[in-house]
Amino acid sequence: SLTSKSVGSVEDIMAEIAVYSEEEKLVVKGAEGLFVNVYTIDGRRIYSSEIANDLETIGLQSGIYIVRVGREVSKIVIK
């Protein structure tokens, strides 16, 4: 007999992703296999990589950043 498992929609996957700041780090959780791009507020891309783990941390200086993970975009403040 065959069994199937639903993998969910893109919206379900994106709803499980968390992007937040912790001390001087950007934390991306639940986005393994997706690409993350980090931009300064004036639009310069300063980081781009495929996320290899369920929990990825990126060291950043204090400031405001635009973070794109997959199709989702967030504004993050690093203090």
Side-chain angles (χ1 to χ4, degrees):
S1 73
L2 295 174
T3 59
S4 66
K5 180 180 177 185
S6 174
V7 294
S9 67
V10 170
E11 288 78 16
D12 292 340
I13 294 167
M14 297 310 287
E16 297 175 10
I17 295 173
V19 178
Y20 56 93
S21 64
E22 187 174 274
E23 298 176 9
E24 291 184 354
K25 296 178 214 157
L26 170 68
V27 180
V28 181
K29 185 175 180 181
E32 185 175 355
L34 295 177
F35 279 87
V36 60
N37 291 290
V38 180
Y39 301 89
T40 59
I41 200 69
D42 62 356
R44 289 181 292 124
R45 185 172 64 186
I46 59 168
Y47 183 87
S48 180
S49 182
E50 184 175 358
I51 298 176
N53 302 303
D54 184 56
L55 183 66
E56 185 86 12
T57 58
I58 303 163
L60 295 172
Q61 296 180 351
S62 297
I64 300 171
Y65 298 92
I66 306 300
V67 181
R68 182 180 180 127
V69 178
R71 296 185 316 171
E72 296 296 311
V73 178
S74 304
K75 181 171 73 171
I76 299 294
V77 177
I78 303 291
K79 294 183 179 183

